[in-house]
Amino acid sequence: MPEIPPVYPKLPEPALRRLPWYLSYVKMLKKQGEMYVSSTQIAKEIDVSATQIAKDLSYVDITGKTRVGYHIDELIQVLDDFLGFTKLHKAVVFGVGSLGAALLSDSGLEHYGLKILAGFDVRESLVNQKIYNIPVFHSDDFTGWNKKEKAEIGILTVPPDYAQQVADYMIANGIKGIWNFTPFRIRVPEGIALQNTSLYAHLAVMFNRLM
Amino acid sequence: MPEIPPVYPKLPEPALRRLPWYLSYVKMLKKQGEMYVSSTQIAKEIDVSATQIAKDLSYVDITGKTRVGYHIDELIQVLDDFLGFTKLHKAVVFGVGSLGAALLSDSGLEHYGLKILAGFDVRESLVNQKIYNIPVFHSDDFTGWNKKEKAEIGILTVPPDYAQQVADYMIANGIKGIWNFTPFRIRVPEGIALQNTSLYAHLAVMFNRLM
């Protein structure tokens, strides 16, 4: 019989955003030689209530033990799996400008489950070059390329004016999730995952808070 | 008499995060030769209600005209100023690993008001080298360096285990705002601006939404 993957109840997004904090903290504890951690202990470090942490962790497949708490190795493995970091997701970068090239060079992403296979751009000076050993192809070639490679994640780092049309093009060619780094608010059809990471909006928030 | 800068009422953070979307959209309209834009028109593109947009824009120093709306050139200038993109903020990068070096290479940040002056790291192989023409110094030298250079923003891309201590060190040496790219949830004293941009948490959210 084929293995049936476990089904988890749908985790609310704020909880999902907190899980990487817990993971990062317990990885540090592991390095320090700890074996168990309680939600109270995590709460002290992370500034989230112990009740909330226990609730968040109830969505993932782990059970703490009375008095000792969660087994750290198990907690790390379960969180890594749950967050999708242990499975490699094939990705492409559209727009190999300054930020796009920077993301191609960030090998750290691979440790978190993102495998960037290629970059795509329309500028002839970039096409058929390699950047950090990752090939760059002409955007027009994506249709044929992705029939074979079946990348499912598209990283969007084109100029904002082109963001929507490039997103539409990626989706028409099999991309299931778009990581949008442009400041443009693109729209995607139902069933397509969209994550906006506007570095410039984050910058604006920080500038605004500087005293 | 010295010029007195205008005082704006405190803008709520969700509104602040929306302003870059409007800016991006009206910059595109300008390229298309448009001169005026109404909040209704922005609303159609951006998926935020016209009332909300008018309210958000009421915080910045601009007034629309009946029937024609906002003058696009003026709106761009006012938003660019308001968001802090027209003033250069001096910054340093702590941790010149894969992501840190990637940020050093992203010249786009400078167009949004962030001037990265130097990187700091403890690895001897990196110290006193240049990466994309930006010098890298030993972290221990930051104290003396920043007495002269007075950088106010610290970009944190060290391994998560060191995030808190490096943040404390930056703050002790004059940094007023920390842009935290590590998955570790650092704490900062009151009066210090903190912006968390955990790429890995964003990845996790996207992986989780993939069908």
PDB file of all heavy atoms in Angstrom, chain A residues 1-28:
ATOM      1  N   MET A   1       0.832  -1.213   0.000  1.00  0.00           N
ATOM      2  CA  MET A   1       0.000   0.000   0.000  1.00  0.00           C
ATOM      3  C   MET A   1       0.864   1.260   0.000  1.00  0.00           C
ATOM      4  O   MET A   1       1.877   1.305   0.692  1.00  0.00           O
ATOM      5  CB  MET A   1      -0.894   0.010   1.244  1.00  0.00           C
ATOM      6  CG  MET A   1      -2.359  -0.297   0.919  1.00  0.00           C
ATOM      7  SD  MET A   1      -3.405  -0.341   2.391  1.00  0.00           S
ATOM      8  CE  MET A   1      -3.133   1.264   3.133  1.00  0.00           C
ATOM      9  N   PRO A   2       0.458   2.275  -0.748  1.00  0.00           N
ATOM     10  CA  PRO A   2       1.254   3.508  -0.714  1.00  0.00           C
ATOM     11  C   PRO A   2       1.127   4.180   0.649  1.00  0.00           C
ATOM     12  O   PRO A   2       0.099   4.037   1.321  1.00  0.00           O
ATOM     13  CB  PRO A   2       0.613   4.366  -1.812  1.00  0.00           C
ATOM     14  CG  PRO A   2      -0.785   3.859  -1.951  1.00  0.00           C
ATOM     15  CD  PRO A   2      -0.753   2.403  -1.578  1.00  0.00           C
ATOM     16  N   GLU A   3       2.178   4.884   1.020  1.00  0.00           N
ATOM     17  CA  GLU A   3       2.153   5.580   2.309  1.00  0.00           C
ATOM     18  C   GLU A   3       1.180   6.753   2.244  1.00  0.00           C
ATOM     19  O   GLU A   3       1.181   7.520   1.287  1.00  0.00           O
ATOM     20  CB  GLU A   3       3.565   6.103   2.609  1.00  0.00           C
ATOM     21  CG  GLU A   3       3.775   6.390   4.083  1.00  0.00           C
ATOM     22  CD  GLU A   3       5.177   6.940   4.317  1.00  0.00           C
ATOM     23  OE1 GLU A   3       6.095   6.568   3.557  1.00  0.00           O
ATOM     24  OE2 GLU A   3       5.325   7.739   5.245  1.00  0.00           O
ATOM     25  N   ILE A   4       0.335   6.870   3.234  1.00  0.00           N
ATOM     26  CA  ILE A   4      -0.625   7.980   3.246  1.00  0.00           C
ATOM     27  C   ILE A   4      -0.046   9.122   4.078  1.00  0.00           C
ATOM     28  O   ILE A   4       0.288   8.932   5.243  1.00  0.00           O
ATOM     29  CB  ILE A   4      -1.978   7.523   3.838  1.00  0.00           C
ATOM     30  CG1 ILE A   4      -2.555   6.416   2.941  1.00  0.00           C
ATOM     31  CG2 ILE A   4      -2.953   8.681   3.935  1.00  0.00           C
ATOM     32  CD1 ILE A   4      -3.659   5.630   3.588  1.00  0.00           C
ATOM     33  N   PRO A   5       0.111  10.295   3.470  1.00  0.00           N
ATOM     34  CA  PRO A   5       0.692  11.398   4.238  1.00  0.00           C
ATOM     35  C   PRO A   5      -0.277  11.839   5.331  1.00  0.00           C
ATOM     36  O   PRO A   5      -1.484  11.768   5.142  1.00  0.00           O
ATOM     37  CB  PRO A   5       0.884  12.507   3.192  1.00  0.00           C
ATOM     38  CG  PRO A   5      -0.044  12.178   2.084  1.00  0.00           C
ATOM     39  CD  PRO A   5      -0.279  10.692   2.117  1.00  0.00           C
ATOM     40  N   PRO A   6       0.253  12.276   6.489  1.00  0.00           N
ATOM     41  CA  PRO A   6      -0.648  12.702   7.567  1.00  0.00           C
ATOM     42  C   PRO A   6      -1.409  13.961   7.160  1.00  0.00           C
ATOM     43  O   PRO A   6      -0.905  14.791   6.418  1.00  0.00           O
ATOM     44  CB  PRO A   6       0.306  13.014   8.722  1.00  0.00           C
ATOM     45  CG  PRO A   6       1.636  13.258   8.091  1.00  0.00           C
ATOM     46  CD  PRO A   6       1.657  12.460   6.827  1.00  0.00           C
ATOM     47  N   VAL A   7      -2.625  14.083   7.627  1.00  0.00           N
ATOM     48  CA  VAL A   7      -3.427  15.276   7.333  1.00  0.00           C
ATOM     49  C   VAL A   7      -3.495  16.123   8.595  1.00  0.00           C
ATOM     50  O   VAL A   7      -3.871  15.642   9.658  1.00  0.00           O
ATOM     51  CB  VAL A   7      -4.854  14.880   6.902  1.00  0.00           C
ATOM     52  CG1 VAL A   7      -5.713  16.124   6.700  1.00  0.00           C
ATOM     53  CG2 VAL A   7      -4.807  14.065   5.628  1.00  0.00           C
ATOM     54  N   TYR A   8      -3.059  17.388   8.493  1.00  0.00           N
ATOM     55  CA  TYR A   8      -3.109  18.280   9.634  1.00  0.00           C
ATOM     56  C   TYR A   8      -4.286  19.222   9.474  1.00  0.00           C
ATOM     57  O   TYR A   8      -4.614  19.613   8.356  1.00  0.00           O
ATOM     58  CB  TYR A   8      -1.827  19.111   9.719  1.00  0.00           C
ATOM     59  CG  TYR A   8      -0.578  18.293   9.763  1.00  0.00           C
ATOM     60  CD1 TYR A   8       0.264  18.210   8.658  1.00  0.00           C
ATOM     61  CD2 TYR A   8      -0.233  17.590  10.914  1.00  0.00           C
ATOM     62  CE1 TYR A   8       1.426  17.454   8.702  1.00  0.00           C
ATOM     63  CE2 TYR A   8       0.921  16.827  10.959  1.00  0.00           C
ATOM     64  CZ  TYR A   8       1.747  16.760   9.849  1.00  0.00           C
ATOM     65  OH  TYR A   8       2.887  16.018   9.890  1.00  0.00           O
ATOM     66  N   PRO A   9      -4.923  19.637  10.604  1.00  0.00           N
ATOM     67  CA  PRO A   9      -5.934  20.688  10.464  1.00  0.00           C
ATOM     68  C   PRO A   9      -5.244  21.943   9.945  1.00  0.00           C
ATOM     69  O   PRO A   9      -4.062  22.150  10.170  1.00  0.00           O
ATOM     70  CB  PRO A   9      -6.452  20.872  11.890  1.00  0.00           C
ATOM     71  CG  PRO A   9      -5.429  20.267  12.786  1.00  0.00           C
ATOM     72  CD  PRO A   9      -4.680  19.257  11.982  1.00  0.00           C
ATOM     73  N   LYS A  10      -5.986  22.755   9.214  1.00  0.00           N
ATOM     74  CA  LYS A  10      -5.420  23.964   8.602  1.00  0.00           C
ATOM     75  C   LYS A  10      -4.897  24.927   9.672  1.00  0.00           C
ATOM     76  O   LYS A  10      -5.619  25.345  10.567  1.00  0.00           O
ATOM     77  CB  LYS A  10      -6.509  24.650   7.772  1.00  0.00           C
ATOM     78  CG  LYS A  10      -6.060  25.846   6.982  1.00  0.00           C
ATOM     79  CD  LYS A  10      -5.390  25.459   5.684  1.00  0.00           C
ATOM     80  CE  LYS A  10      -4.871  26.703   4.958  1.00  0.00           C
ATOM     81  NZ  LYS A  10      -3.735  26.416   4.106  1.00  0.00           N
ATOM     82  N   LEU A  11      -3.626  25.251   9.565  1.00  0.00           N
ATOM     83  CA  LEU A  11      -2.988  26.144  10.530  1.00  0.00           C
ATOM     84  C   LEU A  11      -3.218  27.600  10.127  1.00  0.00           C
ATOM     85  O   LEU A  11      -2.991  27.970   8.984  1.00  0.00           O
ATOM     86  CB  LEU A  11      -1.484  25.839  10.520  1.00  0.00           C
ATOM     87  CG  LEU A  11      -0.594  26.600  11.475  1.00  0.00           C
ATOM     88  CD1 LEU A  11      -0.836  26.151  12.900  1.00  0.00           C
ATOM     89  CD2 LEU A  11       0.863  26.387  11.093  1.00  0.00           C
ATOM     90  N   PRO A  12      -3.681  28.453  11.069  1.00  0.00           N
ATOM     91  CA  PRO A  12      -3.858  29.872  10.717  1.00  0.00           C
ATOM     92  C   PRO A  12      -2.500  30.507  10.376  1.00  0.00           C
ATOM     93  O   PRO A  12      -1.482  30.151  10.963  1.00  0.00           O
ATOM     94  CB  PRO A  12      -4.432  30.490  11.991  1.00  0.00           C
ATOM     95  CG  PRO A  12      -4.815  29.356  12.879  1.00  0.00           C
ATOM     96  CD  PRO A  12      -4.015  28.171  12.464  1.00  0.00           C
ATOM     97  N   GLU A  13      -2.516  31.468   9.447  1.00  0.00           N
ATOM     98  CA  GLU A  13      -1.254  32.039   8.982  1.00  0.00           C
ATOM     99  C   GLU A  13      -0.398  32.686  10.073  1.00  0.00           C
ATOM    100  O   GLU A  13       0.822  32.498  10.073  1.00  0.00           O
ATOM    101  CB  GLU A  13      -1.492  33.035   7.834  1.00  0.00           C
ATOM    102  CG  GLU A  13      -0.178  33.555   7.295  1.00  0.00           C
ATOM    103  CD  GLU A  13      -0.282  34.323   5.993  1.00  0.00           C
ATOM    104  OE1 GLU A  13      -1.093  33.939   5.142  1.00  0.00           O
ATOM    105  OE2 GLU A  13       0.476  35.297   5.838  1.00  0.00           O
ATOM    106  N   PRO A  14      -0.983  33.430  11.024  1.00  0.00           N
ATOM    107  CA  PRO A  14      -0.110  34.003  12.070  1.00  0.00           C
ATOM    108  C   PRO A  14       0.652  32.917  12.832  1.00  0.00           C
ATOM    109  O   PRO A  14       1.814  33.093  13.173  1.00  0.00           O
ATOM    110  CB  PRO A  14      -1.087  34.738  12.987  1.00  0.00           C
ATOM    111  CG  PRO A  14      -2.278  35.016  12.135  1.00  0.00           C
ATOM    112  CD  PRO A  14      -2.378  33.863  11.177  1.00  0.00           C
ATOM    113  N   ALA A  15      -0.010  31.784  13.072  1.00  0.00           N
ATOM    114  CA  ALA A  15       0.658  30.666  13.758  1.00  0.00           C
ATOM    115  C   ALA A  15       1.783  30.123  12.881  1.00  0.00           C
ATOM    116  O   ALA A  15       2.893  29.859  13.347  1.00  0.00           O
ATOM    117  CB  ALA A  15      -0.359  29.569  14.069  1.00  0.00           C
ATOM    118  N   LEU A  16       1.479  29.990  11.596  1.00  0.00           N
ATOM    119  CA  LEU A  16       2.480  29.490  10.652  1.00  0.00           C
ATOM    120  C   LEU A  16       3.715  30.384  10.632  1.00  0.00           C
ATOM    121  O   LEU A  16       4.850  29.916  10.552  1.00  0.00           O
ATOM    122  CB  LEU A  16       1.840  29.426   9.259  1.00  0.00           C
ATOM    123  CG  LEU A  16       2.657  28.850   8.112  1.00  0.00           C
ATOM    124  CD1 LEU A  16       3.172  27.461   8.439  1.00  0.00           C
ATOM    125  CD2 LEU A  16       1.818  28.813   6.837  1.00  0.00           C
ATOM    126  N   ARG A  17       3.487  31.680  10.754  1.00  0.00           N
ATOM    127  CA  ARG A  17       4.609  32.627  10.746  1.00  0.00           C
ATOM    128  C   ARG A  17       5.438  32.536  12.028  1.00  0.00           C
ATOM    129  O   ARG A  17       6.603  32.939  12.050  1.00  0.00           O
ATOM    130  CB  ARG A  17       4.110  34.070  10.570  1.00  0.00           C
ATOM    131  CG  ARG A  17       3.578  34.351   9.179  1.00  0.00           C
ATOM    132  CD  ARG A  17       3.267  35.842   8.997  1.00  0.00           C
ATOM    133  NE  ARG A  17       2.786  36.097   7.658  1.00  0.00           N
ATOM    134  CZ  ARG A  17       3.567  36.249   6.594  1.00  0.00           C
ATOM    135  NH1 ARG A  17       4.891  36.180   6.719  1.00  0.00           N
ATOM    136  NH2 ARG A  17       3.050  36.460   5.400  1.00  0.00           N
ATOM    137  N   ARG A  18       4.797  32.058  13.111  1.00  0.00           N
ATOM    138  CA  ARG A  18       5.554  31.948  14.367  1.00  0.00           C
ATOM    139  C   ARG A  18       6.409  30.688  14.429  1.00  0.00           C
ATOM    140  O   ARG A  18       7.434  30.659  15.103  1.00  0.00           O
ATOM    141  CB  ARG A  18       4.585  31.968  15.571  1.00  0.00           C
ATOM    142  CG  ARG A  18       4.025  33.339  15.875  1.00  0.00           C
ATOM    143  CD  ARG A  18       3.245  33.334  17.196  1.00  0.00           C
ATOM    144  NE  ARG A  18       2.009  32.560  17.114  1.00  0.00           N
ATOM    145  CZ  ARG A  18       0.811  33.074  16.805  1.00  0.00           C
ATOM    146  NH1 ARG A  18       0.692  34.360  16.555  1.00  0.00           N
ATOM    147  NH2 ARG A  18      -0.259  32.315  16.748  1.00  0.00           N
ATOM    148  N   LEU A  19       5.980  29.629  13.726  1.00  0.00           N
ATOM    149  CA  LEU A  19       6.706  28.358  13.831  1.00  0.00           C
ATOM    150  C   LEU A  19       8.208  28.486  13.529  1.00  0.00           C
ATOM    151  O   LEU A  19       9.022  27.891  14.227  1.00  0.00           O
ATOM    152  CB  LEU A  19       6.064  27.290  12.934  1.00  0.00           C
ATOM    153  CG  LEU A  19       4.646  26.844  13.307  1.00  0.00           C
ATOM    154  CD1 LEU A  19       4.165  25.749  12.356  1.00  0.00           C
ATOM    155  CD2 LEU A  19       4.576  26.340  14.746  1.00  0.00           C
ATOM    156  N   PRO A  20       8.606  29.254  12.476  1.00  0.00           N
ATOM    157  CA  PRO A  20      10.052  29.368  12.224  1.00  0.00           C
ATOM    158  C   PRO A  20      10.827  29.994  13.381  1.00  0.00           C
ATOM    159  O   PRO A  20      12.004  29.711  13.560  1.00  0.00           O
ATOM    160  CB  PRO A  20      10.124  30.249  10.962  1.00  0.00           C
ATOM    161  CG  PRO A  20       8.811  30.047  10.277  1.00  0.00           C
ATOM    162  CD  PRO A  20       7.823  29.897  11.405  1.00  0.00           C
ATOM    163  N   TRP A  21      10.160  30.849  14.176  1.00  0.00           N
ATOM    164  CA  TRP A  21      10.844  31.410  15.347  1.00  0.00           C
ATOM    165  C   TRP A  21      11.165  30.293  16.345  1.00  0.00           C
ATOM    166  O   TRP A  21      12.251  30.248  16.915  1.00  0.00           O
ATOM    167  CB  TRP A  21       9.980  32.435  16.079  1.00  0.00           C
ATOM    168  CG  TRP A  21       9.529  33.612  15.270  1.00  0.00           C
ATOM    169  CD1 TRP A  21      10.076  34.050  14.088  1.00  0.00           C
ATOM    170  CD2 TRP A  21       8.456  34.501  15.582  1.00  0.00           C
ATOM    171  NE1 TRP A  21       9.410  35.164  13.655  1.00  0.00           N
ATOM    172  CE2 TRP A  21       8.411  35.468  14.543  1.00  0.00           C
ATOM    173  CE3 TRP A  21       7.539  34.585  16.622  1.00  0.00           C
ATOM    174  CZ2 TRP A  21       7.468  36.495  14.538  1.00  0.00           C
ATOM    175  CZ3 TRP A  21       6.612  35.608  16.613  1.00  0.00           C
ATOM    176  CH2 TRP A  21       6.574  36.561  15.588  1.00  0.00           C
ATOM    177  N   TYR A  22      10.153  29.436  16.572  1.00  0.00           N
ATOM    178  CA  TYR A  22      10.368  28.349  17.531  1.00  0.00           C
ATOM    179  C   TYR A  22      11.477  27.441  17.022  1.00  0.00           C
ATOM    180  O   TYR A  22      12.364  27.021  17.784  1.00  0.00           O
ATOM    181  CB  TYR A  22       9.089  27.514  17.732  1.00  0.00           C
ATOM    182  CG  TYR A  22       7.839  28.318  18.026  1.00  0.00           C
ATOM    183  CD1 TYR A  22       6.568  27.801  17.721  1.00  0.00           C
ATOM    184  CD2 TYR A  22       7.903  29.573  18.619  1.00  0.00           C
ATOM    185  CE1 TYR A  22       5.416  28.524  17.983  1.00  0.00           C
ATOM    186  CE2 TYR A  22       6.751  30.307  18.877  1.00  0.00           C
ATOM    187  CZ  TYR A  22       5.512  29.774  18.551  1.00  0.00           C
ATOM    188  OH  TYR A  22       4.363  30.497  18.808  1.00  0.00           O
ATOM    189  N   LEU A  23      11.416  27.139  15.724  1.00  0.00           N
ATOM    190  CA  LEU A  23      12.413  26.253  15.126  1.00  0.00           C
ATOM    191  C   LEU A  23      13.814  26.823  15.307  1.00  0.00           C
ATOM    192  O   LEU A  23      14.751  26.115  15.713  1.00  0.00           O
ATOM    193  CB  LEU A  23      12.093  26.074  13.632  1.00  0.00           C
ATOM    194  CG  LEU A  23      13.082  25.233  12.818  1.00  0.00           C
ATOM    195  CD1 LEU A  23      13.199  23.823  13.377  1.00  0.00           C
ATOM    196  CD2 LEU A  23      12.684  25.186  11.341  1.00  0.00           C
ATOM    197  N   SER A  24      13.955  28.103  15.015  1.00  0.00           N
ATOM    198  CA  SER A  24      15.255  28.747  15.118  1.00  0.00           C
ATOM    199  C   SER A  24      15.775  28.688  16.559  1.00  0.00           C
ATOM    200  O   SER A  24      16.950  28.406  16.810  1.00  0.00           O
ATOM    201  CB  SER A  24      15.095  30.194  14.649  1.00  0.00           C
ATOM    202  OG  SER A  24      16.200  30.957  14.987  1.00  0.00           O
ATOM    203  N   TYR A  25      14.881  28.919  17.512  1.00  0.00           N
ATOM    204  CA  TYR A  25      15.292  28.901  18.917  1.00  0.00           C
ATOM    205  C   TYR A  25      15.686  27.496  19.375  1.00  0.00           C
ATOM    206  O   TYR A  25      16.713  27.317  20.024  1.00  0.00           O
ATOM    207  CB  TYR A  25      14.176  29.477  19.797  1.00  0.00           C
ATOM    208  CG  TYR A  25      14.475  29.395  21.272  1.00  0.00           C
ATOM    209  CD1 TYR A  25      15.593  30.029  21.803  1.00  0.00           C
ATOM    210  CD2 TYR A  25      13.647  28.667  22.131  1.00  0.00           C
ATOM    211  CE1 TYR A  25      15.878  29.944  23.159  1.00  0.00           C
ATOM    212  CE2 TYR A  25      13.924  28.586  23.483  1.00  0.00           C
ATOM    213  CZ  TYR A  25      15.046  29.220  23.999  1.00  0.00           C
ATOM    214  OH  TYR A  25      15.332  29.133  25.329  1.00  0.00           O
ATOM    215  N   VAL A  26      14.899  26.497  19.023  1.00  0.00           N
ATOM    216  CA  VAL A  26      15.234  25.150  19.517  1.00  0.00           C
ATOM    217  C   VAL A  26      16.472  24.594  18.809  1.00  0.00           C
ATOM    218  O   VAL A  26      17.217  23.815  19.393  1.00  0.00           O
ATOM    219  CB  VAL A  26      14.044  24.142  19.432  1.00  0.00           C
ATOM    220  CG1 VAL A  26      12.913  24.582  20.358  1.00  0.00           C
ATOM    221  CG2 VAL A  26      13.540  23.944  18.025  1.00  0.00           C
ATOM    222  N   LYS A  27      16.724  25.042  17.572  1.00  0.00           N
ATOM    223  CA  LYS A  27      17.986  24.650  16.926  1.00  0.00           C
ATOM    224  C   LYS A  27      19.174  25.190  17.714  1.00  0.00           C
ATOM    225  O   LYS A  27      20.213  24.537  17.829  1.00  0.00           O
ATOM    226  CB  LYS A  27      18.038  25.172  15.481  1.00  0.00           C
ATOM    227  CG  LYS A  27      17.303  24.288  14.488  1.00  0.00           C
ATOM    228  CD  LYS A  27      17.507  24.772  13.056  1.00  0.00           C
ATOM    229  CE  LYS A  27      16.865  23.825  12.041  1.00  0.00           C
ATOM    230  NZ  LYS A  27      16.816  24.424  10.681  1.00  0.00           N
ATOM    231  N   MET A  28      19.019  26.390  18.258  1.00  0.00           N
ATOM    232  CA  MET A  28      20.090  26.968  19.065  1.00  0.00           C
ATOM    233  C   MET A  28      20.270  26.168  20.354  1.00  0.00           C
ATOM    234  O   MET A  28      21.393  25.863  20.756  1.00  0.00           O
ATOM    235  CB  MET A  28      19.783  28.425  19.377  1.00  0.00           C
ATOM    236  CG  MET A  28      20.952  29.156  19.989  1.00  0.00           C
ATOM    237  SD  MET A  28      20.619  30.926  20.169  1.00  0.00           S
ATOM    238  CE  MET A  28      19.595  30.911  21.641  1.00  0.00           C
TER     239      MET A  28
END
